[in-house]
Amino acid sequence: MTLTTERIHHDVAAALGEDPAEIPVDESLVDYGLDSVRIMTLLERWRREHGVQADFADLAEAPAVEAWARLLGAAS
Amino acid sequence: MTATATEPGPFDPPADGRDDAFLVLVNSAGDHSLWPDWRAVPQGWRRSFGPDTHGACLRHLSAG
Amino acid sequence: MTATATHRHASPDTEHALRLPLTAAQSGMWYAQALDPASPALNTAECLRIDGPLDADLFAEALRRVTEEAEALRVRIEDTPQGPRQHLLPAVELPLSVHDLRGDGAERRAEAWMREDLARARDLSRELPFTHALFRVADERWLWYQCIHHLVMDGYGYSLLVRRTAEVYSALAEGADPAPRTFGRLAELVAQDAAYRSSEEFAADREHWATALADRPEAPRLAGRDALASRTFGRRTAYLPPATTERLRTLAEELRATWPDVLVAAQALYTARVTGRSDVVLGLPLMGRMGSAALRIPGMVMNVLPLRLTVRPSDTLASLVRQVVLGIRDVRRHQRYRYEDIRRDLGLLGEGRALVGPLVNVMPFDYGAAFAGVPARAMNLSTGPVDDLTVNIYDRADGRGLRIDHDGNPALYPHEALAAHQSRFLRLLEQLAGADPEQPLGAYAVASPAEREFVLDECNRTARELPCTTLAGPFESRARETPGATALREGDTALSYEELNARANRLARLLQDEGAKPGALVAVSLPRSTDLVVSLLAVAKSGAAYLPLDPEYPPERLAYMLDDAAPVCAVADRAGRLPAHGRPQLLLDEPGTRERLAAYPAVNPPRALTPAHPAYVLYTSGSTGRPKGVVVSHGAIDNRLRWMQDTYRLRPDDRVLQKTPSSFDVSVWEFFWPLREGATLVVAEPGSHRDPARLAATVAEHAVTTCHFVPSMLQVFLAEADASRCASLRRVFCSGEALPRETAHTFARALPEVALHNLYGPTEAAVDVTHHTCVPEETGPVPIGAPVWNTRLYVLDPALQPCPPGVTGELYLAGAQLADGYLHRPELTATRFVADPFGPPGARMYRTGDLARWTVRGEVEYLGRTDNQVKLRGQRLELGEVEAALAALDGVDGACALVREDRPGEQLLVGYTTGTAEPAASRAALARRLPEHMVPSTVVALDAFPLTPNGKLDRGALPAPVFSGSGRRAPEGPREEALTALFAEVLEVENVGPDDAFFDLGGTSLLAARLVGRVRERLGAELTIGSLFEAPTPAGLAVRTADDSAASGDALGVLLPLRASGSRTPLFAIHPAGGISWCYAGLASRLGPDQPVYGLQAPGLLDTSPLPSSLDEQAAAYVEHLKSVQPHGPYQLLGWSVGGVLAHTVATLLQEEGEEVGLLALLDAFPAEQWRERPAPEEGDALTAVLRMAGFERTSERDHADVLATLRRAGSPLAGLSDHTLARIVDIVPHHARRMREHQHRRYTGDLVFFTAAAPRPEDWLTPLAWQPHVDGTVENHELPCTHPQLLRDEHVGAIADVLAAHLEVPQR
């Protein structure tokens, strides 16, 4: 199953304990509490469920929903 | 210097701005005891007043 | 770009470009290493296990390439005047060693190699900051060891390196080209760092941290203290079971957090409980690379940030985790600001100034690495230096659950302690993982079940069935059994049991007629005397409880107590003892009373007394200003007395000293214990409990076997009284204050046959509840010990859960000895005597407010207070009561009080006020209102109280009081001068005048004892502490000591009678280099009152007579003076330093005249030829000698005016000498030195007794054997472990006196 932007947005919001409506897609997620553990958790899940190839540094470099969507080639 | 600034203990009035709850307990001999609300009531004692503020419990004890 | 290009000849440009500053992160590490260059603590290391085939050559090649890619590894650090710089090396030789260890114990040997390498400090200016080693431990098992200095790499960097190495190796193994390098350059890290440090963000971050931590608490210390940075660390590794790990993850999700958040919360909870604080600061290492190019640059970037959390028992896990989540979020916003900078901004640089407690280091790095398909598993060996405790947590996603390493500073955490902290932490995690996150945190206990069982049950197995008796019954039984035995002794009078019982019975019946009965109170106000004992017994026999009213209390306080307690009547000795109180009063000294008493039968009165009835009421200091009465029942005190008898076995031939005031509960066992066991109670004189010499005399006179001391008084007693007079003692009890180990050691040395028992207990628990017998060889704090019968001790954390052994908590007491409560204060009683969660149903426990901990041996150690109650010389007082009394005075706006110990061992109660009140007047007003021990030594007036950033009173910033004398008139006469100077010396106060009172200048009873000792030592005058209380000024004392033997008149004549009386043959002691013989006063004292001692002093101290032109001439003059006292021999002579040479000369002169010399003793004096080679003396030497005489080393004094100034400033009695005399001394010293060099010795016939100052000295050629040519007899040498100037100090004088005593002759005249 391919990873969609919506999926990314949803999973990120869940990891941060917020409603997706509270998480703007272009803002740095660090301000909302994103840390390395949460990135690893998301990454591991996306690797498992969507065969994502990126590594930690890829995600941590530009931690925003939109940027990740681009990086991971997500379908809109 | 031997006097130290300390934090309130379990039976002390709480630090400013907090409203921690206390109880007054009584046993069969008629002894009373102040008690913090978050700790289980020991055997042989029962609640006779509260939960209420520290000050209210003390007033209850002075009156009774 | 090829991977293996090397740049052999760098162009000047390249050379310059290759030199970079360090980043702030790197600088922090550099300075840490520079503090201790030989420390390997900054080496970090990891070991990867590769289970499968590996090509070692390919591996080496992969490493080489990665090393070339990772610039941060290829640096050499040089120190320059502008600070450290990193020199980026274009190429390096790969520091890789390959070891084939296949065979037995391969892994063990590999591990040993790794440990040894890890323990080797790196010199980054000369060697590479990293080392690799590859071990083949089996055909298909390899261990890859990496050790990298923390200055160049952090944990995240390792993960980059490992993954890249695996990637490169895997590509090479397939014969392919590895993917192009992605690592950024070192210069980028440097640039990023510089950009941050000059940005607005930097300033904002600094501001943030300064504000957030301005009112921070003390850093939490699980070990209870700080230690210096260690070169090694201890490590305990454990795994949290996978099931628990899963539950924690789920729980975290439910709480909208991650598992590291929950672990941080757990550590915060653990730390809060073990340190007893709710405000804790943990250390949070953060990788610091989010959103940054640093994500792809292996290097040292990480930072440690303080995470401040509040953990209360009423909080829930859910709210704590939320606090953690938000707290970490907040920390991350300002995480670039370096930890070292935060510490510096807060003024915390330097050792022992910690900011954070334990570190919680969670490392979830992406570690999936495979070497050509062979997976590698990483194991950390070191994450860097450990100041206190670091909890490292790894989720390597390998199915084993979380790995948790507790790394501890070995100086703070011995192995068992580290293991205990870890197992408790894991147990806590288990509890948290399985419980409802909404329940209060107070429900969790930190102690393991075994620890809980130990501290609650095993340590408290004290149940004992006892008969129901009271204070009256056992005494009456004893009186029946042994009516003729001596019950009481006071001075010369004695009372038998029968007589005492009869007197008490009469008074008891009279009291009953006045309303005394069970449940009623009778006040007793008598000085220490037989009548006091009779009265207390009488009250007990009447069935009532006694209320002691100390006659020394101010009337206002007595009136308050009488009003509050409402006794049915009062017993006193005379009218006016008590203020008017409207109740019947029995005055025992009145004839009318004696008549009334005589009318009563002397038979035990009937009474319906039960153990539940009150036995006594003692008032203690109240924190809000009013003292409160503690009501203790007969049952409670009877338990205590029965336990005491069973433990210490008093016999009828024992004599117990009654010396403690009746208002202090220790007196209860003094009064009532011996009298129920058929022993004798010896009543000390009133006031004598403060005077060590009188106490010793009383002990000796009455052969006392048992007595009590408050530890500070015991110290004074051991220092000032003659312990050898107390040989009758069998046991001494200490209570009321912490007993210092040094005091116990001093006691063991002074009274080795006497048992010393340390007891503890508040008034609220029938005198004492714990006991410990001191063992002389032990070290460390003296424990208060184990509980007495039917008593339970609990050490509880802030959640009222039991603390494990070794962890500090608040001490609670339970059992049969608890008081009933506070008289007429139900709310106070209910807040201090609370429900006992661990005892039988309905049981109570008393919260002491004392901090304590259990030892693993089942004893309790006392560690201080939780509040503002203090003990001053054993007397309990609430600072709040002193403050309330001050605040109530006119003109006082605000008040606070403090016990200060500005000089070690000297405690002073100091009051502070704001407002218009004059401090001396305030103090005088308090003296009229409060008992003596609660009156501050001084009151300091302030404009305003110092405040903390939070606006609270900052007690730590209150200024030390400065005592100053009035200096109103100058002292008259050498005696007044000397005493004034001694006052100044002992009190360390300026400007002392002869009319200033000792206690007004900050004197305490400890200092009083010291003053008395110095007066004896320096002036040879016998003074008691009592006389100091009676005549507390130098002028007063001068008059008092005028008729003593020593130093009469001017003390500067040639003949100085240190003791003119006594029947033995006199000892003549000749002065040392300064010409004054005052130094022998202590020796004179030690030789005893029957030994006359005369000092001989240099001529011309008082007048201007010329100094003799040779030692022979000087000695001849001394012979004249000798003969004026003792016309014929045998003569006994002693001399110190040049005095020894003179003594030898005098001895030879006397022998030439045909006189007999019985003793010639020299104190470290050497013959003239030993000195001839030395350079001639200058004034400098004289100045040094004068200062040495006063006990100082010369530092910057240039001339004798400087010397005088130093002596005066220091308050030396020598400063009391006139200018003329001091100037003469300054001349006399070189005079002696010159005459010494010119002197030719005669030969003395007889033996020489010699005392050598045996401490190493520069003049190592000096030897007593040098006297052999000048002595026709033996040289008997005694060595003392001290230097020349120290010979006549207190510690050594005794030894010298002992030797001399053996040689001195017995009465001749």
Side-chain angles (χ1 to χ4, degrees), chain C residues 389-412:
Chain C
L389 180 72
T390 300
V391 181
N392 294 303
I393 304 164
Y394 309 85
D395 180 15
R396 292 284 156 84
D398 55 6
R400 293 182 69 177
L402 292 177
R403 170 176 152 163
I404 300 181
D405 285 342
H406 271 63
D407 288 352
N409 182 333
L412 297 172

mmCIF file of all heavy atoms in Angstrom, chain C residues 389-412:
data_model
loop_
_atom_site.group_PDB
_atom_site.id
_atom_site.type_symbol
_atom_site.label_atom_id
_atom_site.label_comp_id
_atom_site.label_asym_id
_atom_site.label_seq_id
_atom_site.Cartn_x
_atom_site.Cartn_y
_atom_site.Cartn_z
ATOM 1 N N LEU C 389 25.356 9.937 38.294
ATOM 2 C CA LEU C 389 24.690 8.725 37.835
ATOM 3 C C LEU C 389 24.104 9.001 36.462
ATOM 4 O O LEU C 389 23.437 10.010 36.264
ATOM 5 C CB LEU C 389 23.560 8.351 38.803
ATOM 6 C CG LEU C 389 22.768 7.100 38.446
ATOM 7 C CD1 LEU C 389 23.616 5.862 38.681
ATOM 8 C CD2 LEU C 389 21.505 7.018 39.284
ATOM 9 N N THR C 390 24.346 8.127 35.516
ATOM 10 C CA THR C 390 23.734 8.242 34.197
ATOM 11 C C THR C 390 22.996 6.957 33.910
ATOM 12 O O THR C 390 23.559 5.863 34.045
ATOM 13 C CB THR C 390 24.816 8.466 33.112
ATOM 14 O OG1 THR C 390 25.521 9.661 33.408
ATOM 15 C CG2 THR C 390 24.177 8.580 31.738
ATOM 16 N N VAL C 391 21.735 7.084 33.551
ATOM 17 C CA VAL C 391 20.970 5.903 33.174
ATOM 18 C C VAL C 391 20.889 5.893 31.653
ATOM 19 O O VAL C 391 20.247 6.760 31.052
ATOM 20 C CB VAL C 391 19.552 5.950 33.795
ATOM 21 C CG1 VAL C 391 18.780 4.700 33.425
ATOM 22 C CG2 VAL C 391 19.651 6.094 35.300
ATOM 23 N N ASN C 392 21.589 4.971 31.020
ATOM 24 C CA ASN C 392 21.606 4.856 29.557
ATOM 25 C C ASN C 392 20.580 3.814 29.137
ATOM 26 O O ASN C 392 20.556 2.714 29.675
ATOM 27 C CB ASN C 392 22.983 4.397 29.073
ATOM 28 C CG ASN C 392 24.049 5.442 29.346
ATOM 29 O OD1 ASN C 392 23.956 6.576 28.910
ATOM 30 N ND2 ASN C 392 25.059 5.050 30.097
ATOM 31 N N ILE C 393 19.744 4.196 28.207
ATOM 32 C CA ILE C 393 18.682 3.278 27.789
ATOM 33 C C ILE C 393 18.759 3.081 26.290
ATOM 34 O O ILE C 393 18.763 4.050 25.522
ATOM 35 C CB ILE C 393 17.315 3.851 28.179
ATOM 36 C CG1 ILE C 393 17.314 4.114 29.698
ATOM 37 C CG2 ILE C 393 16.202 2.895 27.798
ATOM 38 C CD1 ILE C 393 16.216 4.999 30.176
ATOM 39 N N TYR C 394 18.828 1.839 25.864
ATOM 40 C CA TYR C 394 18.956 1.519 24.452
ATOM 41 C C TYR C 394 17.788 0.685 23.984
ATOM 42 O O TYR C 394 17.422 -0.296 24.632
ATOM 43 C CB TYR C 394 20.220 0.687 24.194
ATOM 44 C CG TYR C 394 21.470 1.241 24.772
ATOM 45 C CD1 TYR C 394 21.810 0.985 26.086
ATOM 46 C CD2 TYR C 394 22.326 2.017 23.995
ATOM 47 C CE1 TYR C 394 22.975 1.497 26.627
ATOM 48 C CE2 TYR C 394 23.496 2.514 24.532
ATOM 49 C CZ TYR C 394 23.810 2.254 25.848
ATOM 50 O OH TYR C 394 24.960 2.747 26.376
ATOM 51 N N ASP C 395 17.256 1.077 22.848
ATOM 52 C CA ASP C 395 16.284 0.213 22.199
ATOM 53 C C ASP C 395 16.912 -0.218 20.894
ATOM 54 O O ASP C 395 16.840 0.487 19.906
ATOM 55 C CB ASP C 395 14.994 0.983 21.953
ATOM 56 C CG ASP C 395 13.945 0.122 21.285
ATOM 57 O OD1 ASP C 395 14.118 -1.118 21.273
ATOM 58 O OD2 ASP C 395 12.957 0.679 20.791
ATOM 59 N N ARG C 396 17.582 -1.352 20.945
ATOM 60 C CA ARG C 396 18.260 -1.778 19.725
ATOM 61 C C ARG C 396 17.369 -2.655 18.875
ATOM 62 O O ARG C 396 17.816 -3.257 17.925
ATOM 63 C CB ARG C 396 19.572 -2.498 20.092
ATOM 64 C CG ARG C 396 20.581 -1.550 20.680
ATOM 65 C CD ARG C 396 21.236 -0.689 19.605
ATOM 66 N NE ARG C 396 21.775 0.567 20.093
ATOM 67 C CZ ARG C 396 22.963 0.736 20.642
ATOM 68 N NH1 ARG C 396 23.760 -0.285 20.813
ATOM 69 N NH2 ARG C 396 23.345 1.929 21.036
ATOM 70 N N ALA C 397 16.105 -2.672 19.252
ATOM 71 C CA ALA C 397 15.101 -3.399 18.463
ATOM 72 C C ALA C 397 15.576 -4.791 18.097
ATOM 73 O O ALA C 397 15.446 -5.225 16.964
ATOM 74 C CB ALA C 397 14.767 -2.601 17.196
ATOM 75 N N ASP C 398 16.156 -5.490 19.048
ATOM 76 C CA ASP C 398 16.630 -6.835 18.749
ATOM 77 C C ASP C 398 15.846 -7.879 19.525
ATOM 78 O O ASP C 398 16.304 -8.987 19.733
ATOM 79 C CB ASP C 398 18.127 -6.947 19.076
ATOM 80 C CG ASP C 398 18.400 -6.533 20.516
ATOM 81 O OD1 ASP C 398 17.433 -6.286 21.273
ATOM 82 O OD2 ASP C 398 19.585 -6.463 20.887
ATOM 83 N N GLY C 399 14.648 -7.495 19.972
ATOM 84 C CA GLY C 399 13.796 -8.478 20.625
ATOM 85 C C GLY C 399 14.139 -8.758 22.072
ATOM 86 O O GLY C 399 13.517 -9.592 22.718
ATOM 87 N N ARG C 400 15.138 -8.086 22.606
ATOM 88 C CA ARG C 400 15.512 -8.383 23.984
ATOM 89 C C ARG C 400 14.901 -7.406 24.970
ATOM 90 O O ARG C 400 15.221 -7.424 26.138
ATOM 91 C CB ARG C 400 17.042 -8.323 24.123
ATOM 92 C CG ARG C 400 17.714 -9.433 23.353
ATOM 93 C CD ARG C 400 19.190 -9.371 23.548
ATOM 94 N NE ARG C 400 19.528 -9.734 24.924
ATOM 95 C CZ ARG C 400 20.777 -9.815 25.366
ATOM 96 N NH1 ARG C 400 21.783 -9.539 24.555
ATOM 97 N NH2 ARG C 400 21.025 -10.136 26.618
ATOM 98 N N GLY C 401 14.046 -6.518 24.474
ATOM 99 C CA GLY C 401 13.518 -5.506 25.383
ATOM 100 C C GLY C 401 14.534 -4.381 25.516
ATOM 101 O O GLY C 401 15.559 -4.355 24.839
ATOM 102 N N LEU C 402 14.242 -3.456 26.381
ATOM 103 C CA LEU C 402 15.138 -2.320 26.558
ATOM 104 C C LEU C 402 16.347 -2.734 27.378
ATOM 105 O O LEU C 402 16.231 -3.408 28.381
ATOM 106 C CB LEU C 402 14.421 -1.188 27.307
ATOM 107 C CG LEU C 402 13.273 -0.483 26.579
ATOM 108 C CD1 LEU C 402 12.656 0.547 27.516
ATOM 109 C CD2 LEU C 402 13.774 0.192 25.321
ATOM 110 N N ARG C 403 17.505 -2.278 26.913
ATOM 111 C CA ARG C 403 18.692 -2.485 27.748
ATOM 112 C C ARG C 403 18.910 -1.224 28.564
ATOM 113 O O ARG C 403 18.864 -0.111 28.046
ATOM 114 C CB ARG C 403 19.904 -2.740 26.858
ATOM 115 C CG ARG C 403 21.190 -2.703 27.676
ATOM 116 C CD ARG C 403 22.378 -3.034 26.846
ATOM 117 N NE ARG C 403 23.578 -2.389 27.373
ATOM 118 C CZ ARG C 403 24.796 -2.734 27.069
ATOM 119 N NH1 ARG C 403 24.995 -3.722 26.213
ATOM 120 N NH2 ARG C 403 25.832 -2.102 27.591
ATOM 121 N N ILE C 404 19.149 -1.407 29.852
ATOM 122 C CA ILE C 404 19.341 -0.259 30.746
ATOM 123 C C ILE C 404 20.682 -0.405 31.445
ATOM 124 O O ILE C 404 20.918 -1.386 32.143
ATOM 125 C CB ILE C 404 18.203 -0.189 31.784
ATOM 126 C CG1 ILE C 404 16.858 -0.032 31.060
ATOM 127 C CG2 ILE C 404 18.427 0.967 32.751
ATOM 128 C CD1 ILE C 404 15.666 0.068 31.958
ATOM 129 N N ASP C 405 21.563 0.571 31.229
ATOM 130 C CA ASP C 405 22.846 0.597 31.923
ATOM 131 C C ASP C 405 22.790 1.685 32.979
ATOM 132 O O ASP C 405 22.564 2.844 32.659
ATOM 133 C CB ASP C 405 23.992 0.961 30.957
ATOM 134 C CG ASP C 405 24.367 -0.168 30.043
ATOM 135 O OD1 ASP C 405 24.019 -1.323 30.339
ATOM 136 O OD2 ASP C 405 25.022 0.106 29.022
ATOM 137 N N HIS C 406 23.034 1.312 34.229
ATOM 138 C CA HIS C 406 23.220 2.328 35.270
ATOM 139 C C HIS C 406 24.717 2.542 35.401
ATOM 140 O O HIS C 406 25.447 1.650 35.818
ATOM 141 C CB HIS C 406 22.658 1.840 36.610
ATOM 142 C CG HIS C 406 21.213 2.173 36.819
ATOM 143 N ND1 HIS C 406 20.210 1.678 36.026
ATOM 144 C CD2 HIS C 406 20.604 2.981 37.724
ATOM 145 C CE1 HIS C 406 19.036 2.166 36.432
ATOM 146 N NE2 HIS C 406 19.251 2.959 37.453
ATOM 147 N N ASP C 407 25.176 3.736 34.979
ATOM 148 C CA ASP C 407 26.594 4.065 35.124
ATOM 149 C C ASP C 407 26.739 4.989 36.326
ATOM 150 O O ASP C 407 26.067 6.021 36.382
ATOM 151 C CB ASP C 407 27.110 4.798 33.879
ATOM 152 C CG ASP C 407 27.246 3.889 32.679
ATOM 153 O OD1 ASP C 407 27.088 2.659 32.827
ATOM 154 O OD2 ASP C 407 27.506 4.409 31.571
ATOM 155 N N GLY C 408 27.612 4.635 37.267
ATOM 156 C CA GLY C 408 27.734 5.457 38.466
ATOM 157 C C GLY C 408 29.177 5.848 38.759
ATOM 158 O O GLY C 408 30.099 5.088 38.473
ATOM 159 N N ASN C 409 29.366 7.018 39.330
ATOM 160 C CA ASN C 409 30.676 7.453 39.821
ATOM 161 C C ASN C 409 31.041 6.531 40.992
ATOM 162 O O ASN C 409 30.332 6.491 41.995
ATOM 163 C CB ASN C 409 30.577 8.916 40.277
ATOM 164 C CG ASN C 409 31.887 9.472 40.767
ATOM 165 O OD1 ASN C 409 32.755 8.731 41.243
ATOM 166 N ND2 ASN C 409 32.061 10.776 40.669
ATOM 167 N N PRO C 410 32.136 5.770 40.869
ATOM 168 C CA PRO C 410 32.435 4.779 41.903
ATOM 169 C C PRO C 410 32.669 5.382 43.276
ATOM 170 O O PRO C 410 32.470 4.705 44.283
ATOM 171 C CB PRO C 410 33.715 4.088 41.404
ATOM 172 C CG PRO C 410 34.009 4.638 40.077
ATOM 173 C CD PRO C 410 33.128 5.803 39.795
ATOM 174 N N ALA C 411 33.046 6.665 43.306
ATOM 175 C CA ALA C 411 33.239 7.291 44.618
ATOM 176 C C ALA C 411 31.910 7.480 45.335
ATOM 177 O O ALA C 411 31.857 7.622 46.547
ATOM 178 C CB ALA C 411 33.931 8.638 44.453
ATOM 179 N N LEU C 412 30.822 7.493 44.571
ATOM 180 C CA LEU C 412 29.514 7.713 45.181
ATOM 181 C C LEU C 412 28.691 6.442 45.257
ATOM 182 O O LEU C 412 27.836 6.300 46.118
ATOM 183 C CB LEU C 412 28.727 8.743 44.363
ATOM 184 C CG LEU C 412 29.322 10.133 44.286
ATOM 185 C CD1 LEU C 412 28.547 10.989 43.304
ATOM 186 C CD2 LEU C 412 29.326 10.789 45.648
#
